[in-house]
Amino acid sequence: MNFKVSHVALVLIAALCIGLASCTEDLFVTPKVYGRITGKIVDNATKKPLSDVLIKLNPSGRSFQTDTSGNFAFDSLVVGKYTISTEKKGLYNEYVTVEVTEDQNPVVTIYMSEDLKSNRPPTKPTNPIPAVGGAVAGINNVLLSWTASDPDRDTLTYDVYLFKSGGSPTTPYITNFTNDSLIVNNLEYDKTYYWQVVAKDGRESVFSEVWTFTTPKFPSLSYVFTRSTGGNYQIYAANDDNTIVKLTSEGSNWRPIVSPNREQIAFISNRSTSLHIYVINLDGTGLRKITTVPIAGLMALDLSFSWANNGSRIIYPSNNKLYSIATDGTGLTEIARAANGRQYAGCNWNDATKTVVARTTGETVYDNELELIYSSGFKETILTSSRRVGNPVLSIDGGEVLFSMDINEFRNEAGRQIDARIFELYLNDKSLHDLSASATGGSNGLQKPAGSNDLDPRYSPNGQNIIFTNVLNDDASVPSLYVTELNNGRERNKIVTNAEMGYWRQQ
């Protein structure tokens, strides 16, 4: 009985041990390991991040869309190998394989490139305005327009090329323009212009045909003058305030004087640092420098010069010397030298008498002398004044001298004038006639305003009229150009506002 009990106990003990061993084996199963994948999608051309790229991860079947910084992330990934695929319209799909390990969470940067095969280019720009070969009405506010579209509805930008006949189309007039119409300004008169539009969708560029249009001939304008613009002086032509054409733009340019044949305009300019005399055609083209020795004197804006010998030469002051130079820049000749302590400020040649009238100044602009210089070289002083005097001009027959002179005794370092008037000096008896004092009211109802200056008078080509500047003496007001008849009451009629140093362009 005792033996059987012991045998059964042994069997139970053995079974218990086997069970315990089995339980111990289940308690030590290896756990699963997880990781993550992060990264950024970048444009291969611009190296900028790409947003809204669809990221697919296999074999997980999960997907993600990149944020505005191009970033993406997949968390809780079982260790192993994964394939990342990228998709975005207009770009090639990219595929990258990475491995997540127990001690490594991959960080990847994927570069995507443009898929040119998937893009449809813009349509060719058409329907130009102006019509091909058409004419435009002016040289400013000219409308250029065209039609183009994009089949993929991409946003279009445009490069516009605009150039004159004989010019080069290498530099665009404007780039990356977002409208399909453009206003252009500062064209030249009587020119054929070529233009072309390039439509761009960010991937491809499509060129229009080359179109043409013509600008009108230069208008018939009666006067040239100087206007202060943005701190510089520029030269304009006009009939009145509504018909004004700008002729210069580089540097400061003033004192326009038209040639005797009415085909060219000479003027003073600082565009080459020193002051020199330049010549242009009546329409502002054909710029060329005439002088080799600079024009110079006490005050730059006070200087003047003259065409001579029927327009073949120019006479001008350079400190204490008066020079003559051919209009091709050759043959520089000294024709006069001022007295000691004096320098020339302006001059005027008369073809009828072959004489020059010139103004010299002393230490200040209030110390003035007018002198006649004869072809023999003899000089005759015809006026001495301790007041501010303008540059003189001779009448057509050479018998009178026209100039401005301040009758007030005021003086300051700036050379301010208080009551400058127009005077005519008769050379036969040296009598002086105040033309401003005898002027009557004109069609605009104005006499010479009190507290104003009449300046820079010039005879008309036929000698019957005078053009001059009037401006208040406050050194702040805007000057205006006036015309008056030399006889018949001398009515004063304003022609252009904000203008000075006027000259007759034609008559």
Side-chain angles (χ1 to χ4, degrees):
M1 182 67 177
N2 292 336
F3 170 77
K4 289 182 178 179
V5 172
S6 298
H7 178 75
V8 171
L10 289 172
V11 172
L12 292 173
I13 291 170
L16 180 61
C17 289
I18 292 171
L20 288 172
S22 176
C23 291
T24 301
E25 184 177 339
D26 289 340
L27 289 175
F28 290 99
V29 172
T30 302
K32 292 183 178 181
V33 179
Y34 295 87
R36 68 195 307 258
I37 298 173
T38 59
K40 179 188 287 285
I41 308 299
V42 176
D43 188 306
N44 189 46
T46 66
K47 302 302 184 283
K48 293 181 179 179
L50 292 170
S51 61
D52 300 321
V53 178
L54 179 62
I55 311 296
K56 293 182 180 179
L57 187 68
N58 287 307
S60 74
R62 294 162 64 181
S63 63
F64 192 97
Q65 201 161 32
T66 57
D67 59 19
T68 55
S69 299
N71 296 320
F72 67 90
F74 293 101
D75 294 311
S76 302
L77 298 175
V78 177
V79 295
K81 290 186 177 182
Y82 294 88
T83 297
I84 303 170
S85 64
T86 66
E87 297 178 16
K88 186 176 175 69
K89 182 181 178 182
L91 302 176
Y92 285 111
N93 295 345
E94 299 290 344
Y95 300 89
V96 175
T97 299
V98 298
E99 184 175 6
V100 179
T101 64
E102 182 176 351
D103 57 357
Q104 182 177 356
N105 292 317
V107 178
V108 296
T109 299
I110 301 175
Y111 293 89
M112 298 187 71
S113 299
E114 182 179 1
D115 182 3
L116 296 178
K117 294 180 180 179
S118 68
N119 180 65
R120 291 181 294 175
T123 62
K124 185 177 182 178
T126 56
N127 302 322
I129 296 176
V132 177
V136 297
I139 62 169
N140 291 305
N141 297 316
V142 175
L143 172 68
L144 305 180
S145 69
W146 57 91
T147 301
S149 61
D150 189 88
D152 295 329
R153 297 185 179 181
D154 293 330
T155 299
L156 295 181
T157 60
Y158 304 97
D159 294 346
V160 179
Y161 291 82
L162 177 66
F163 53 98
K164 295 178 297 185
S165 177
S168 171
T170 56
T171 303
Y173 180 84
I174 193 169
T175 59
N176 299 321
F177 192 62
T178 56
N179 297 326
D180 56 6
S181 63
L182 174 68
I183 298 294
V184 297
N185 293 292
N186 299 318
L187 302 178
E188 292 184 14
Y189 283 101
D190 199 19
K191 298 293 183 182
T192 296
Y193 279 87
Y194 297 82
W195 64 297
Q196 185 176 37
V197 176
V198 184
K200 304 183 298 183
D201 66 356
R203 299 176 182 86
E204 296 184 69
S205 299
V206 178
F207 288 72
S208 73
E209 301 293 333
V210 176
W211 303 312
T212 64
F213 65 87
T214 58
T215 55
K217 293 185 180 299
F218 197 91
S220 177
L221 302 174
S222 298
Y223 315 105
V224 292
F225 59 88
T226 300
R227 172 176 287 177
S228 178
T229 304
N232 286 326
Y233 288 92
Q234 301 301 342
I235 295 172
Y236 294 77
N239 284 332
D240 50 41
D241 283 331
N242 299 315
T243 56
I244 297 178
V245 178
K246 188 177 182 182
L247 301 179
T248 62
S249 57
E250 181 184 348
S252 259
N253 309 277
W254 66 95
R255 193 70 65 188
I257 300 178
V258 179
S259 62
N261 62 6
R262 327 311 293 173
E263 293 181 356
Q264 299 177 94
I265 304 169
F267 59 93
I268 302 172
S269 178
N270 67 359
R271 65 185 61 208
S272 59
T273 306
S274 297
L275 301 185
H276 283 278
I277 297 173
Y278 290 77
V279 169
I280 54 176
N281 299 324
L282 287 183
D283 62 359
T285 61
L287 175 74
R288 67 183 190 276
K289 179 169 164 279
I290 301 299
T291 52
T292 53
V293 174
I295 183 172
L298 195 59
M299 292 178 64
L301 293 177
D302 197 42
L303 296 172
S304 188
F305 59 94
S306 177
W307 293 87
N309 296 93
N310 291 312
S312 64
R313 301 186 71 83
I314 284 178
I315 298 174
Y316 70 99
S318 185
N319 296 316
N320 68 330
K321 297 176 183 178
L322 208 58
Y323 286 109
S324 172
I325 190 170
T327 53
D328 63 0
T330 64
L332 181 69
T333 304
E334 180 185 325
I335 62 172
R337 187 170 297 199
N340 289 337
R342 305 194 67 80
Q343 52 188 318
Y344 286 105
C347 58
N348 182 250
W349 161 271
N350 183 268
D351 269 319
T353 60
K354 310 302 180 188
T355 56
V356 174
V357 62
R359 179 170 70 93
T360 65
T361 58
E363 294 183 357
T364 76
V365 290
Y366 297 108
D367 178 4
N368 289 277
E369 289 183 359
L370 300 185
E371 63 182 27
L372 287 176
I373 305 172
Y374 297 92
S375 57
S376 63
F378 174 74
K379 294 192 291 185
E380 176 189 3
T381 300
I382 57 175
L383 178 77
T384 300
S385 175
S386 59
R387 299 169 182 172
R388 185 79 184 266
V389 175
N391 287 308
V393 294
L394 285 159
S395 61
I396 292 177
D397 63 4
E400 293 82 32
V401 178
L402 189 70
F403 58 94
S404 67
M405 183 170 63
D406 190 2
I407 65 172
N408 194 282
E409 297 289 344
F410 179 84
R411 307 281 186 277
N412 73 359
E413 291 183 358
R416 181 180 175 185
Q417 302 184 72
I418 301 299
D419 190 8
R421 301 185 176 209
I422 298 171
F423 287 90
E424 196 172 38
L425 176 65
Y426 291 4
L427 293 179
N428 59 352
D429 60 6
K430 302 301 186 290
S431 60
L432 199 59
H433 303 265
D434 185 346
L435 303 187
S436 295
S438 60
T440 63
S443 61
N444 53 19
L446 291 178
Q447 294 183 356
K448 177 182 179 294
S452 72
N453 293 310
D454 284 346
L455 304 168
D456 294 321
R458 294 277 180 171
Y459 291 111
S460 63
N462 64 9
Q464 300 301 306
N465 300 286
I466 296 172
I467 190 172
F468 63 97
T469 302
N470 180 265
V471 62
L472 294 178
N473 63 17
D474 57 7
D475 284 342
S477 296
V478 172
S480 295
L481 283 187
Y482 286 78
V483 168
T484 182
E485 293 181 343
L486 188 57
N487 301 303
N488 300 323
R490 286 192 287 277
E491 294 186 15
R492 303 163 59 93
N493 296 293
K494 184 191 291 187
I495 52 174
V496 185
T497 305
N498 190 14
E500 55 189 306
M501 304 183 195
Y503 205 92
W504 305 85
R505 181 176 178 270
Q506 62 183 29
Q507 183 166 334

